[in-house]
Amino acid sequence: MTAPKRIMQIWIIFALLIFSILMAMHPVETWHASVRGLSIWWDVLFPSLFPFLVLSELLLGFGIVHFLGTLLNPLMRPLFRVPGSGGFVFAVSCASGYPTGAKLTAQLWEQKLVTREEGERLVAFTTSSDPIFMIGAVSVGFFHNTSIAPILVASHYSAAFLVGVLMRFHGQSTAKLQPALSPSHEQHQNRFLRAIYAMHTARQADGRTFGELLRHAVSSSLRLIIIVGGLVVFFSVIMELLVQTGWLGILYAWTEQGLQLAGLPPSLSHSLVGGLFEVTLGAKEAGATASSIPLIFKVAAASFVLSWGGLSVHAQIMSVLSNTPMRYGPFLLARAIHAAIAPLLVILLWPVLMANASSPAFLNSPFSHSISSSHPGWSYIGATGILVCVSILFLLLCLALLSQLMLKRSNK
């Protein structure tokens, strides 16, 4: 073990001892923070993540990922330098939120469908929030304004797309690992037939019955969702202990000074610092900022928090990728880039998407009555998630078809 690693381990042990002492000194606050984190997990994360985790496992077992991967390869390979199966990962992660993208990427690596560098690129831009949280919890529950939902969603996913394009330059080229099909094979089988054959081959290679697939999907999804819940509770307690000791006040002061130097409202410091640790807390603080602060800055702060993900989400991704050779460094870089681009897109898109939405609209919007203030129901989660997933897959398939047609035309 190198000297830097030994020093890091000593610091981690020292920090854990300090937090253990603080938990003993503040037992009531620790208990309330744990309950608060557990409530976030049970009311928001469990219903929004678990169904999609199970479905993605089943689709992977039935070879749907191989089918879509063959169809989407002409788009995903030149644009993001990832295999076509990354399109499926991107669509499902947009519908269900983090850490689904990392889990699916780890499964693709286990099946040898991606290399280490391809997996790192894929995780970089498929780690995103879900529309349920951005619309139901942030827009309605925290901001009480559904008119900001389009700009939040547009800036978040557009920034994720740009991160994917930028991260294509990460790592060495792996094109030589992907042998091209021979011209004779191209003549006898079009891409759709090859996709069906790939799905059939993958299903035969898996060999499990539907009952076995379902049992494994439920058990592995439950293990992951319990890990996610434990990390949410842990970071909720850490945040509360930092508040009780006053250490968080130092971060607030430093952030306020940075915001003042940048010409931004200093009162946004609570949102940014809270979002550094936990997404829900940061987004809630952004919505609770004084009404005298322009709405555009509060939405930009929420966009920053959603794109950064919080250290709680970072810990979730690290736990999912712990059994793979994929590294945390590229993911951290991608989160920083995403968090920098998304607020800028909010400011750029504001005149276009918010020109006629200067006042809160949720009180008069019939759509908002179907959304709980922060805990959307299962039917709404399922319908919206499936709609988002299908829409993104359809868009990617159309772009892949267009790319293939343009390639054939250029070769004539």
Side-chain angles (χ1 to χ4, degrees):
M1 184 182 294
T2 60
K5 288 185 177 181
R6 286 198 297 268
I7 295 174
M8 180 60 68
Q9 282 199 350
I10 292 173
W11 275 109
I12 292 175
I13 294 172
F14 182 68
L16 292 176
L17 289 174
I18 290 178
F19 282 120
S20 299
I21 295 172
L22 290 175
M23 287 175 64
M25 294 173 60
H26 304 279
V28 177
E29 291 81 2
T30 298
W31 185 84
H32 283 296
S34 300
V35 172
R36 192 162 55 246
L38 187 62
S39 176
I40 292 172
W41 174 72
W42 179 252
D43 293 328
V44 179
L45 297 179
F46 191 95
S48 63
L49 276 179
F50 184 72
F52 290 98
L53 291 175
V54 175
L55 284 175
S56 62
E57 285 268 4
L58 292 175
L59 291 174
L60 196 63
F62 276 98
I64 300 297
V65 176
H66 298 74
F67 174 80
L68 293 173
T70 305
L71 293 179
L72 293 175
N73 200 59
L75 173 69
M76 303 299 291
R77 179 66 65 183
L79 192 59
F80 303 113
R81 284 180 65 200
V82 298
S85 52
F88 172 80
V89 177
F90 184 56
V92 174
S93 64
C94 286
S96 56
Y98 18 64
T100 309
K103 180 177 183 292
L104 292 176
T105 303
Q107 289 177 319
L108 292 181
W109 179 84
E110 290 173 359
Q111 296 188 7
K112 302 187 185 303
L113 296 178
V114 295
T115 63
R116 185 185 72 171
E117 286 78 13
E118 288 173 343
E120 290 171 349
R121 295 185 205 118
L122 191 55
V123 172
F125 74 96
T126 59
T127 301
S128 59
S129 183
D130 61 281
I132 297 295
F133 183 73
M134 287 188 281
I135 298 172
V138 179
S139 301
V140 177
F142 299 155
F143 279 83
H144 308 293
N145 188 347
T146 55
S147 64
I148 69 169
I151 196 168
L152 265 181
V153 174
S155 63
H156 187 71
Y157 292 137
S158 298
F161 181 86
L162 293 176
V163 168
V165 174
L166 292 174
M167 290 299 292
R168 76 180 305 277
F169 301 103
H170 162 69
Q172 298 178 351
S173 175
T174 54
K176 59 183 179 181
L177 299 178
Q178 304 292 334
L181 292 170
S182 63
S184 61
H185 190 78
E186 288 279 358
Q187 292 175 358
H188 289 86
Q189 284 190 313
N190 59 32
R191 186 167 295 276
F192 185 75
L193 292 178
R194 292 203 307 273
I196 294 178
Y197 179 75
M199 179 178 66
H200 176 68
T201 304
R203 180 67 186 120
Q204 283 187 323
D206 186 279
R208 290 174 294 177
T209 64
F210 178 75
E212 291 175 324
L213 272 175
L214 184 60
R215 178 183 59 81
H216 181 266
V218 172
S219 62
S220 64
S221 300
L222 277 176
R223 285 195 298 269
L224 177 60
I225 204 70
I226 290 173
I227 292 173
V228 170
L231 289 170
V232 169
V233 171
F234 175 76
F235 277 93
S236 178
V237 172
I238 295 299
M239 278 289 298
E240 184 61 30
L241 294 176
L242 292 175
V243 170
Q244 293 297 323
T245 56
W247 295 345
L248 211 58
I250 300 175
L251 292 178
Y252 289 146
W254 290 349
T255 307
E256 287 177 0
Q257 291 179 1
L259 291 172
Q260 285 179 338
L261 292 175
L264 299 173
S267 55
L268 294 175
S269 61
H270 285 68
S271 171
L272 300 182
V273 173
L276 177 67
F277 294 93
E278 218 285 312
V279 175
T280 306
L281 180 60
K284 187 175 182 179
E285 289 289 346
T289 307
S291 57
S292 59
I293 303 300
L295 182 60
I296 184 174
F297 291 126
K298 295 196 287 186
V299 175
S303 182
F304 171 88
V305 169
L306 291 168
S307 302
W308 168 251
L311 294 180
S312 174
V313 170
H314 287 229
Q316 295 170 26
I317 301 299
M318 291 174 67
S319 67
V320 172
L321 300 180
S322 60
N323 293 326
T324 72
M326 286 176 266
R327 298 160 295 183
Y328 172 66
F331 171 79
L332 179 62
L333 175 63
R335 290 303 91 219
I337 297 173
H338 197 173
I341 294 177
L344 293 177
L345 289 179
V346 168
I347 296 173
L348 292 175
L349 295 175
W350 193 269
V352 179
L353 298 179
M354 297 294 290
N356 300 319
S358 58
S359 60
F362 85 106
L363 290 176
N364 299 320
S365 174
F367 172 72
S368 64
H369 295 295
S370 65
I371 309 175
S372 172
S373 60
S374 59
H375 312 314
W378 280 81
S379 60
Y380 182 77
I381 288 170
T384 306
I386 292 173
L387 178 62
V388 170
C389 184
V390 171
S391 300
I392 293 177
L393 283 176
F394 179 75
L395 176 62
L396 292 176
L397 286 171
C398 290
L399 291 175
L401 178 61
L402 181 62
S403 174
Q404 186 73 6
L405 291 175
M406 293 178 64
L407 181 63
K408 287 183 178 180
R409 185 171 297 179
S410 64
N411 291 334
K412 289 182 179 180

